[in-house]
Amino acid sequence: MSNDKHRVAVIFLCAALFVGLVPGVVTAQSGASGTTVVESGETVSGISGIYGTIIIEGTVTGDVSGVAGDIVVREGGVIEGNLEAAAGNIRISGTIEGDVSSGAGAIHLTRTGVVDGNVDAGAGEVRIDGRIGGDAAIGAETIRLGDEATIEGSLTYDGDLLGNRDAVAGEITRDRSLGPGLIDDFQPFASWIFAVNAFIFNFLLGALLLGLFPRFSDGIADRVAANPLRSGLAGLAAFIGIPLLLVLVAITIVGIPISIGGLFLFLFVVWIGVVYGRFAVGYWLLSLADIENRWGALLVGLVLGVVLHQIPFVGGLLNFIIFLLGLGAFITAVYTRRRRLSTPADTAPEETPVD
């Protein structure tokens, strides 16, 4: 296969993989994707899966369950079933006719928000300004009851309970066993979800880089293996120096658009550094076993990154060092290549004229 055909095949493969990741956006039923929206006037039977954001403006006749960065039930939005989810933030301004069983960083039931059933929640902060028709069991660092809040049943809680206690029609009981246990149980699961999704996207970028620039990628791995200290220091200098340079550029009015564009470019270069760093380490590990396989090196390096991600502190530090190796080697290789290409032609050896 020619180089051009090979590159087209790689791009097609990566595009197909990207498309395969987003069925949940189209169906608004289930999947793993960025954002799903049930628009005003729209009705779906249910939502389940892993999302960046779930927004309910219409009607969900069943349950909403899964994992998301943010879950928003806007005013006018209705969930006829239950909300059973874990999220970074949950904001309810619409109506949930069933129960809420959720863990989140923050949960807010606004003044227009209504939960007809029971609420069982664990969060860093819970704020209730709307109505809960049943009982509430809440474990959080801070629980705030607004002036217009209503809990028609009893409240069992643990944490700092602030605000309008008269909002609770039934008994108020503190239960030390609640605490943040739900969040603690969810954290390992969420950590693995993040790691797996990061692995997928890192593999896609790695496949693109190895497929389009195989020799350049091998050179990155060789550069890291030959002089890891130099690569790491170059990566650290770039990681600190480039953002500072962008800030200095942004000081001038003319430089603001340039700085914004530079920031996006820098973030992409950082991502490349992560992938190349793990590829280089995988390449080095396979070389210890006398194996030369760049695709195997990519997989080994990315799997190692996922495993290290699960190790508190030490794993994060090692991943950061690996990233600096990749970033430094990549920037050094690009600079060297650009310098070579920009070398004036008159510095090249003169050819002997032909008579």
Side-chain angles (χ1 to χ4, degrees):
M1 182 181 291
S2 67
N3 288 336
D4 288 341
K5 289 183 178 180
H6 176 69
R7 293 184 181 187
V8 170
V10 171
I11 294 172
F12 178 79
L13 172 63
C14 293
L17 288 172
F18 269 113
V19 170
L21 288 175
V22 295
V25 176
V26 177
T27 63
Q29 300 291 320
S30 63
S33 63
T35 301
T36 185
V37 180
V38 180
E39 297 180 354
S40 179
E42 181 182 5
T43 300
V44 300
S45 59
I47 296 176
S48 64
I50 303 169
Y51 296 90
T53 303
I54 297 175
I55 299 175
I56 311 295
E57 298 174 342
T59 301
V60 180
T61 58
D63 297 335
V64 174
S65 61
V67 179
D70 295 287
I71 298 176
V72 180
V73 183
R74 291 184 175 158
E75 188 173 354
V78 178
I79 299 175
E80 296 181 357
N82 301 320
L83 173 61
E84 301 171 341
N89 295 284
I90 297 176
R91 183 180 178 87
I92 303 170
S93 299
T95 300
I96 298 177
E97 297 181 359
D99 299 328
V100 172
S101 300
S102 298
I107 299 175
H108 186 194
L109 179 65
T110 70
R111 293 181 180 181
T112 60
V114 175
V115 178
D116 288 332
N118 300 320
V119 172
D120 187 357
E125 179 180 3
V126 175
R127 181 175 175 180
I128 300 173
D129 292 309
R131 182 177 69 84
I132 298 175
D135 297 327
I138 302 172
E141 292 182 8
T142 304
I143 304 166
R144 300 180 184 274
L145 301 178
D147 293 338
E148 299 182 23
T150 301
I151 300 177
E152 297 179 1
S154 300
L155 170 63
T156 305
Y157 78 98
D158 187 32
D160 293 332
L161 180 61
L162 307 174
N164 178 24
R165 289 175 175 254
D166 292 335
V168 183
E171 296 182 354
I172 299 177
T173 306
R174 183 162 190 174
D175 185 350
R176 300 277 185 181
S177 67
L178 291 177
L182 182 59
I183 294 295
D184 292 339
D185 292 340
F186 170 68
Q187 281 179 344
F189 178 59
S191 180
W192 275 106
I193 290 172
F194 174 81
V196 169
N197 278 278
F199 174 88
I200 292 172
F201 284 101
N202 286 340
F203 176 78
L204 291 174
L205 178 61
L208 199 62
L209 294 172
L210 296 188
L212 296 178
F213 314 107
R215 292 179 59 188
F216 179 82
S217 300
D218 290 346
I220 296 287
D222 291 338
R223 192 179 295 271
V224 171
N227 200 332
L229 181 60
R230 182 178 178 182
S231 296
L233 290 176
L236 182 61
F239 186 70
I240 296 174
I242 293 177
L244 288 176
L245 180 62
L246 291 174
V247 171
L248 292 175
V249 172
I251 292 176
T252 63
I253 298 177
V254 178
I256 291 177
I258 298 175
S259 182
I260 294 174
L263 175 62
F264 283 104
L265 178 60
F266 175 66
L267 292 176
F268 184 64
V269 169
V270 165
W271 186 17
I272 292 176
V274 169
V275 173
Y276 265 146
R278 296 182 183 184
F279 165 69
V281 170
Y283 201 93
W284 173 72
L285 289 174
L286 289 186
S287 70
L288 297 179
D290 293 327
I291 299 175
E292 292 187 8
N293 186 313
R294 64 173 64 97
W295 295 101
L298 178 62
L299 287 174
V300 169
L302 294 180
V303 169
L304 177 63
V306 172
V307 173
L308 290 177
H309 179 74
Q310 308 308 312
I311 304 174
F313 184 73
V314 175
L317 178 61
L318 291 175
N319 264 335
F320 181 68
I321 292 173
I322 292 171
F323 153 68
L324 291 181
L325 292 174
L327 179 64
F330 172 67
I331 289 180
T332 303
V334 170
Y335 173 77
T336 302
R337 185 180 180 88
R338 189 169 181 273
R339 189 175 179 183
R340 246 183 237 157
L341 294 174
S342 61
T343 301
D346 55 9
T347 62
E350 295 184 2
E351 295 182 2
T352 304
V354 179
D355 293 332

